Amino acid sequence: MENLKIAIVTETFPPEINGVSMTFGVIAAELGRRGHTVTVYRPHRPDLPGDNVRRDFREVSMPGIPIPGYALLRLGLPAFHRLKKLWRADPPDIVHVVTEGPLGATAVSAARALKIPVTSSFHTNFHQYASSYGFALFHHATLSWLRRVHNRTCQTFVPTKELSVELAVLGFKNLRPLSRGIDLRQFSPSLRDASLRAEWGAAPDDPVVLHVGRMATEKNYPHLFKCYAAMRAANPRTRFVVVGDGPLRARLQTDHPECIFTGFMSRENLARHYASADIYIHASLSETFGNVLTEAMGSGLAVAGFDYAAARLFVRHEENGLVAPCDQPAALEAAAVRLVSDAALRRKIRTAAPVSVAHQSWENVVARFESDLAATVAESRPPAPARLLILSASYGEGHNAAARNLAIAVNADQGPGTARVVDIFSLTAPRLDAFSRGAYLSIINRVPKVWSALYGWLDRSHRFQALLPNLLKPQIRRLAALIARERPVVICSTYPVYAFMIEQMKRDGLTPPPHYNVVTDSISINSLWWGAPCAGWFVPNVESAAVLHAAGVSPQRVHDCGFPTPVFFAENEDQLAPPPLAEGARPRVLFIAHSGVRGVAGMAERLIADSDWELTFAVGRDEAMRHHLECAAAGRVAPVKIFGWTDQIPHLMMTHHVVVSKAGGATTQEAIAARCPMIVSQIVPGQEEGNYELLRRHGIGAFADTPDVLMEVCRRAFADKGAVWSAWRTALKPLARPHAAAVIADCVLKEAGIALPELTQ
């Protein structure tokens, strides 16, 4: 995915404390961390510097005025002309408007005037708040304003499907999901603080009930304190802690002296308060999501709330929380009493809650948002000059990795923008694509025998291949429109079914440009790769070329160029290497822990407990696994490094003696390019069988699917000053092709006869 210049316009942003501010503080930082250039436009606050450059994004101050009752919040003033001037001088690729006030509304107008794609997000039910504050007459006017602001944008992002349906009924258009994440490194039961509980006057077994929020009329405080009263009547040892501030705080603090009111606090201190409590009651009925509920669950609290928004998404009644119908306030009161009275139920829920939200990481949420923004930008672009279009799909990281690396090589040779990577499946039906990817991962990890049977059927079934054009009609239409708009001179695909789609376009009378398949599998190659004709096939090794020859593909059309791995390997092939074992260096083991793979935790724990090797773990976005390994490694003398998502895998492979991982196409080929012997921990039946077979034939690694076997293989490799390891590394040398991406790029451009002198550096 290309790096974008993203402008975010919002009237609330950290250090302000509310759900919208927190959400886009995280999103801005995460987008910046992913390589995008992010600029946040916000109303000026006198206690903050003006324009402010942070590590992951830049802030630009805009005119604003104080909001009555909220000393540090600002209402942004109209800024059409200023934004238009700024964006004309330095245009962003896309504008995202967070809030619908005068600043946000004029940002939409400025972006539209400059023909910059603009999106928005819906966070607050302001039209409902009008009634809460005694201004029911303004309900329709407020709703009309919100609808107009959002419907003038390309997409409006909403936090839940439930809210999307409600807004669609009210006339809002182009609605897309943007959920909320939780940082399990920050919100964790491990932060429980006995000294803090002692400050509250709570003994170890006394239940502490926490509330976090902005104390305002629409938050249903009368019912919350009614629940508190019932809980205290049921268990007089109960303590109540209220975190936050707002217009109602003074009155609530006067009316409820039995409660501890803390005011606002830092996120770090808030996490400690969450973890030190036991119960969270969510009585508000006006939320669009409710971040506090997922933060409470991640912190190990027993939650009870009305059955909507975040509670409906994440709470399974009596398993990881309690829910009550929205029209039955007495049911929430009863649920609150159950939690304070039934210690066994409370313990059960507190144990289950963090696990149930572990998948809801901010990294995953922002990745989906990033894809949606990129798709909006792509759709808004005018026809481009002659270029290479690279088609990929997210069913296995190998397809995307090959596409991304090939694009980088082409753009390095022919100039930025010559090659573009597109996932037609994600563009055409993103929700279906996301569901299909999830189902694929579940099948290969949980029921591999089912996938083996399916893979074999796909390999043998000519009928399925004949049906593909009918099954993929929407994708074919989208691809045809994309080709007509961008007019590429040549197409490469790293996913096999695109050849069937392009062949159908020819049958429909269209004339797509030459198309090449970049095969991402080795040896056990599915017949889908050659089931439809194309101009040529690029394969990763001679063994894979032989498979295509045996299937009847003309040898003249099969190019054995290697797998397109990151350019880092070519740039550093003579610069980086692990320390020599023959000279007594401590062995280095890189363990790539793929989410969902069975047995990973056990093997990782065994490495930590029973070896003195240097260990590096890469766990991706699996925060639960990261936390688990950090606990297991506590106190270990030998070095242990634990990475979450990282772009340093090529460097790590080149500086470690072995890599332990499943036999994914990209990982296997990157290990070969790095000359890093591979110990395979899992083989997905079908495509990954060939990857391991390639290693086995050349004697460059081993298979170890249990902790005992893994330890035995590693000890054998490192024994006698690394004699076995040295033999593995020597055998890797003739297979390693770190320049493959550049070679394929050059070959494609020459084969297609592309001449782009104006882009050549």
Side-chain angles (χ1 to χ4, degrees):
M1 182 177 295
E2 67 176 299
N3 293 336
L4 300 176
K5 291 171 65 175
I6 303 170
I8 296 176
V9 182
T10 178
E11 280 150 309
T12 182
F13 199 71
E16 292 151 18
I17 300 176
N18 58 69
V20 180
S21 167
M22 183 278 296
T23 294
F24 270 85
V26 174
I27 288 176
E30 179 67 15
L31 287 172
R33 191 184 66 78
R34 287 169 172 266
H36 303 289
T37 302
V38 180
T39 304
V40 178
Y41 298 83
R42 61 173 302 167
H44 174 68
R45 277 179 42 160
D47 61 320
L48 297 178
D51 293 357
N52 186 18
V53 178
R54 299 177 181 268
R55 185 178 67 176
D56 298 312
F57 56 87
R58 179 170 68 99
E59 290 184 32
V60 175
S61 290
M62 306 299 292
I65 58 175
I67 297 177
Y70 295 93
L72 293 179
L73 292 185
R74 292 292 187 272
L75 176 69
L77 296 177
F80 174 81
H81 295 292
R82 182 174 178 186
L83 289 172
K84 191 174 177 183
K85 181 180 179 180
L86 289 170
W87 292 342
R88 182 181 284 123
D90 185 17
D93 293 307
I94 191 166
V95 174
H96 182 78
V97 174
V98 179
T99 51
E100 309 93 339
L103 175 60
T106 53
V108 173
S109 297
R112 286 168 59 93
L114 296 171
K115 301 189 183 306
I116 299 170
V118 56
T119 57
S120 61
S121 45
F122 190 100
H123 301 275
T124 308
N125 292 310
F126 284 118
H127 54 299
Q128 296 179 6
Y129 287 9
S131 300
S132 299
Y133 284 90
F135 298 106
L137 292 175
F138 292 96
H139 172 88
H140 293 294
T142 304
L143 178 60
S144 178
W145 171 269
L146 295 173
R147 185 167 50 226
R148 172 174 167 74
V149 171
H150 288 291
N151 283 355
R152 297 180 73 223
T153 68
C154 301
Q155 305 275 358
T156 294
F157 292 91
V158 295
T160 65
K161 182 178 180 181
E162 174 188 12
L163 180 61
S164 179
V165 172
E166 293 176 9
L167 293 178
V169 171
L170 295 173
F172 289 74
K173 301 176 181 178
N174 302 318
L175 301 169
R176 300 278 296 162
L178 173 58
S179 189
R180 303 290 182 268
I182 177 172
D183 186 348
L184 290 179
R185 289 167 294 186
Q186 183 173 54
F187 295 99
S188 166
S190 64
L191 298 175
R192 194 170 180 87
D193 188 337
S195 64
L196 180 59
R197 289 178 60 87
E199 290 178 21
W200 297 336
D205 295 329
D206 292 346
V208 175
V209 185
L210 184 73
H211 169 78
V212 178
R214 177 170 52 84
M215 298 178 200
T217 302
E218 69 275 5
K219 299 296 185 179
N220 201 17
Y221 277 98
H223 191 62
L224 177 66
F225 282 97
K226 188 176 181 182
C227 290
Y228 281 1
M231 296 170 83
R232 191 154 200 171
N235 186 339
R237 299 288 301 170
T238 305
R239 298 290 184 270
F240 305 101
V241 179
V242 184
V243 177
D245 213 328
L248 297 184
R249 179 183 173 183
R251 179 168 62 81
L252 292 174
Q253 197 162 352
T254 300
D255 293 345
H256 300 281
E258 74 281 5
C259 297
I260 300 167
F261 288 79
T262 70
F264 282 135
M265 60 182 60
S266 68
R267 298 286 287 172
E268 292 74 18
N269 199 20
L270 174 61
R272 193 167 63 100
H273 277 64
Y274 271 123
S276 301
D278 304 288
I279 299 170
Y280 192 92
I281 306 300
H282 195 56
S284 173
L285 284 162
S286 61
E287 308 297 329
T288 56
F289 185 80
N291 297 325
V292 291
L293 191 80
T294 52
E295 290 172 355
M297 294 175 72
S299 301
L301 274 66
V303 302
F306 287 115
D307 185 19
Y308 81 111
R312 179 167 294 178
L313 285 173
F314 297 105
V315 177
R316 299 185 301 276
H317 187 62
E318 296 188 338
E319 292 183 24
N320 64 348
L322 301 178
V323 290
C326 293
D327 59 351
Q328 297 181 28
L332 180 62
E333 187 178 332
V337 169
R338 282 188 68 191
L339 289 180
V340 83
S341 304
D342 189 339
L345 175 64
R346 192 164 66 242
R347 282 193 298 270
K348 171 189 171 184
I349 290 174
R350 292 188 61 202
T351 300
V355 177
S356 65
V357 295
H359 66 285
Q360 194 67 10
S361 70
W362 274 113
E363 289 88 347
N364 291 339
V365 170
V366 175
R368 290 190 288 268
F369 184 50
E370 175 189 45
S371 296
D372 286 333
L373 293 183
T376 301
V377 171
E379 291 176 356
S380 71
R381 282 177 170 156
R387 66 178 68 242
L388 166 63
L389 183 64
I390 303 175
L391 302 174
S392 182
S394 297
Y395 301 97
E397 177 54 23
H399 307 299
N400 279 336
R404 184 168 56 246
N405 298 327
L406 180 58
I408 291 171
V410 171
N411 290 334
D413 181 60
Q414 293 289 332
T418 306
R420 179 177 299 171
V421 178
V422 175
D423 182 343
I424 288 295
F425 297 91
S426 179
L427 282 178
T428 305
R431 291 185 183 179
L432 177 61
D433 182 62
F435 173 80
S436 301
R437 281 187 280 118
Y440 165 76
L441 292 173
S442 294
I443 291 172
I444 65 173
N445 288 320
R446 297 179 182 177
V447 282
K449 290 183 179 179
V450 173
W451 173 250
S452 179
L454 180 58
Y455 186 88
W457 177 78
L458 291 173
D459 188 38
R460 298 185 301 270
S461 176
H462 298 293
R463 178 172 176 77
F464 174 75
Q465 295 183 10
L467 288 174
L468 269 175
N470 289 325
L471 297 174
L472 299 174
K473 285 182 178 179
Q475 288 80 3
I476 293 171
R477 287 194 296 269
R478 188 65 171 261
L479 178 58
L482 179 68
I483 292 172
R485 185 174 74 244
E486 300 210 1
R487 301 194 297 275
V489 172
V490 62
I491 297 174
C492 280
S493 64
T494 60
Y495 189 64
V497 302
Y498 283 112
F500 295 89
M501 297 163 64
I502 291 171
E503 184 65 14
Q504 182 60 42
M505 290 167 57
K506 294 177 182 177
R507 295 193 195 104
D508 293 339
L510 302 177
T511 309
H515 165 240
Y516 295 84
N517 269 328
V518 178
V519 179
T520 57
D521 299 327
S522 293
I523 302 177
S524 58
I525 303 172
N526 198 288
S527 64
L528 285 170
W529 280 108
W530 62 81
C534 67
W537 287 261
F538 294 92
V539 296
N541 40 63
V542 66
E543 289 87 349
S544 299
V547 172
L548 267 68
H549 298 162
V553 179
S554 169
Q556 286 71 37
R557 292 197 174 188
V558 179
H559 309 280
D560 173 19
C561 296
F563 184 99
T565 54
V567 68
F568 183 92
F569 295 117
E571 293 173 344
N572 293 277
E573 61 179 328
D574 297 323
Q575 308 298 321
L576 294 176
L581 295 176
E583 297 178 12
R586 189 195 298 264
R588 294 179 178 176
V589 178
L590 171 62
F591 193 110
I592 301 177
H594 294 271
S595 180
V597 175
R598 290 175 296 179
V600 164
M603 286 189 281
E605 288 173 354
R606 185 68 177 276
L607 282 172
I608 292 170
D610 292 351
S611 80
D612 61 353
W613 308 318
E614 288 190 28
L615 304 178
T616 301
F617 296 95
V619 301
R621 297 185 170 92
D622 190 341
E623 292 300 330
M625 173 66 74
R626 179 173 184 160
H627 177 71
H628 181 78
L629 294 182
E630 286 173 346
C631 293
R636 188 179 192 264
V637 176
V640 178
K641 295 179 182 178
I642 303 173
F643 290 89
W645 181 92
T646 177
D647 58 0
Q648 297 300 306
I649 294 297
H651 183 277
L652 294 172
M653 282 186 171
M654 296 191 80
T655 55
H656 282 67
H657 294 97
V658 296
V659 56
V660 182
S661 175
K662 67 190 288 289
T667 305
T668 303
Q669 295 298 334
E670 288 176 6
I672 291 172
R675 294 184 61 200
C676 181
M678 186 172 180
I679 299 174
V680 175
S681 58
Q682 185 200 35
I683 302 171
V684 172
Q687 68 270 36
E688 290 188 4
E689 292 174 335
N691 298 330
Y692 174 66
E693 176 62 15
L694 179 70
L695 301 177
R696 190 196 64 79
R697 288 185 188 182
H698 290 269
I700 49 178
F703 178 66
D705 61 347
T706 69
D708 288 342
V709 175
L710 176 60
M711 294 302 297
E712 178 186 345
V713 166
C714 287
R715 287 172 178 145
R716 180 167 57 88
F718 301 146
D720 300 323
K721 296 185 177 181
V724 170
W725 173 82
S726 181
W728 286 349
R729 185 167 169 84
T730 300
L732 273 167
K733 188 171 183 179
L735 271 185
R737 295 181 180 181
H739 298 270
V743 172
I744 295 172
D746 183 63
C747 190
V748 168
L749 298 177
K750 287 180 179 177
E751 287 262 332
I754 293 181
L756 299 173
E758 72 277 11
L759 293 177
T760 303
Q761 302 298 306

